[in-house]
Amino acid sequence: MEEKKKVLTRRDFLVSAGGAVAGIALAGTGLGLLTPHAEGATVELPEYPWEQYFDKPLDVQKVQDLAVQYFGEGNGCAEGAFRALIEALGEPFSYVPSQIMNFGKAGGVGWGTLCGAINGAAAAVSLVYGRGQATTLVINELMGWYSETALPLNTTESSVANSPLCHASISNWCKATGNKASERGPRCKALTGDVAARAALYMNQIQAGTFVPAHPMSAETKACYDCHGPGGRMDDSLGTMSCGSCHDGH
Ligand code: HEC
Ligand code: HEC
């Protein structure tokens, strides 16, 4: 671990980036020496998985502020949430280009599927825990919390999506507040901050050993799921979204 960490010191970054010439080039652009975005720089990344580099609790408020900031700068909900988390996580996470998550905006370039804030935050969680169990634990909780919580937090203009889908989230917000979908900007900006911060909080709890899932599947959905879900009697559907948000019972 010590050796791998060393790869990522400032000096080594500059060496990997091409030595003194890159150093001058970086200084010339006014970019911080630790910036992962230096053009032409090659950084020797440590071997994956990287969970060991998540070694101090995330500053939840900072994650929230950064996500709001990046959304405001036009990164969109998914990239904004992802970028805030990887930058707060620091190296080596911050070396991953955040634009990999840009597609997630508005539920996948406007398709209204998975809320981009969840998608981006979940990508950062997955980057930390990889195939480990915590990826599923944290993201499952994030989806459940998002579905059941009036968002954005700390405003009267909030709504419960009853779903992790962007489409349901926006339409329920329009219904609850009387706003138009095209007016969603400030709302989605605040929500992106809330979701990124929530993911940070859960990761801190995992790290501290205090994580307790608090959003299990509802009894109603569980009844449908047990029959229709994988391995059930019908075994003809997949997913743990609230069935009632789209189907009537029978
Ligand atoms: C005890 C098992 C069982 C449970 C619990 C159950 N279903 Fe079904 N469901 C069935 C069966 C059997 C059919 C097939 C009916 C048919 O094909 O005629 C069906 C059919 C359906 C269909 C197909 C369209 C239709 O109405 O025929 C939908 C959608 C559906 N169920 C949704 C749900 C939802 C939502 C819930 C929970 C609120 C639920 N089911 C609970 C057994 C169950
Ligand atoms: C976001 C909306 C949504 C949610 C949530 C959802 N479904 Fe569906 N479901 C659909 C759609 C769309 C179809 C396809 C219907 C079609 O094309 O006719 C479908 C189809 C089905 C069918 C087959 C229907 C048929 O006619 O045979 C079953 C059974 C079913 N869903 C069960 C469930 C169960 C159980 C849940 C909860 C665990 C659930 N669904 C949650 C949207 C949803």
Side-chain angles (χ1 to χ4, degrees):
M1 182 165 159
E2 279 312 307
E3 258 183 26
K4 284 184 192 159
K5 281 216 154 167
K6 197 168 165 283
V7 172
L8 293 161
T9 60
R10 278 166 186 252
R11 199 178 58 83
D12 289 353
F13 173 76
L14 287 177
V15 170
S16 331
V21 178
I24 290 161
L26 282 172
T29 61
L31 295 169
L33 295 188
L34 280 172
T35 175
H37 307 298
E39 234 176 298
T42 48
V43 179
E44 209 176 321
L45 294 174
E47 212 175 297
Y48 193 80
W50 293 345
E51 188 178 346
Q52 62 186 296
Y53 298 103
F54 172 37
D55 52 9
K56 57 180 184 307
L58 285 161
D59 181 338
V60 175
Q61 186 61 51
K62 179 181 164 192
V63 169
Q64 176 139 17
D65 294 345
L66 283 176
V68 166
Q69 182 191 325
Y70 294 142
F71 185 103
E73 289 173 8
N75 292 176
C77 45
E79 185 185 345
F82 180 69
R83 188 174 166 197
L85 281 159
I86 61 170
E87 289 190 4
L89 283 160
E91 299 164 14
F93 306 100
S94 54
Y95 286 115
V96 177
S98 62
Q99 291 180 50
I100 195 170
M101 289 314 297
N102 189 266
F103 77 94
K105 59 199 168 194
V109 295
W111 276 65
T113 67
L114 179 61
C115 165
I118 300 181
N119 202 351
V125 172
S126 198
L127 188 62
V128 172
Y129 299 112
R131 299 185 186 118
Q133 197 197 9
T135 294
T136 302
L137 282 176
V138 170
I139 297 171
N140 194 51
E141 188 65 7
L142 194 64
M143 298 263 203
W145 167 82
Y146 178 100
S147 300
E148 292 170 20
T149 304
L151 295 172
L153 302 170
N154 307 316
T155 167
T156 48
E157 298 237 303
S158 65
S159 56
V160 179
N162 197 26
S163 170
L165 297 180
C166 167
H167 167 72
S169 182
I170 293 292
S171 290
N172 278 324
W173 176 75
C174 290
K175 190 162 71 176
T177 63
N179 289 308
K180 304 288 180 205
S182 56
E183 295 167 341
R184 70 187 182 282
R187 175 261 183 198
C188 290
K189 180 161 81 170
L191 180 147
T192 296
D194 291 339
V195 172
R198 197 71 186 181
L201 176 78
Y202 291 150
M203 284 197 277
N204 284 349
Q205 291 174 346
I206 290 275
Q207 197 192 44
T210 58
F211 176 80
V212 181
H215 296 86
M217 201 188 289
S218 75
E220 193 205 0
T221 295
K222 190 171 185 309
C224 318
Y225 182 86
D226 285 347
C227 221
H228 284 287
R233 212 177 84 199
M234 299 302 290
D235 203 350
D236 62 351
S237 81
L238 180 75
T240 61
M241 294 186 287
S242 166
C243 317
S245 66
C246 297
H247 297 289
D248 293 327
H250 61 90

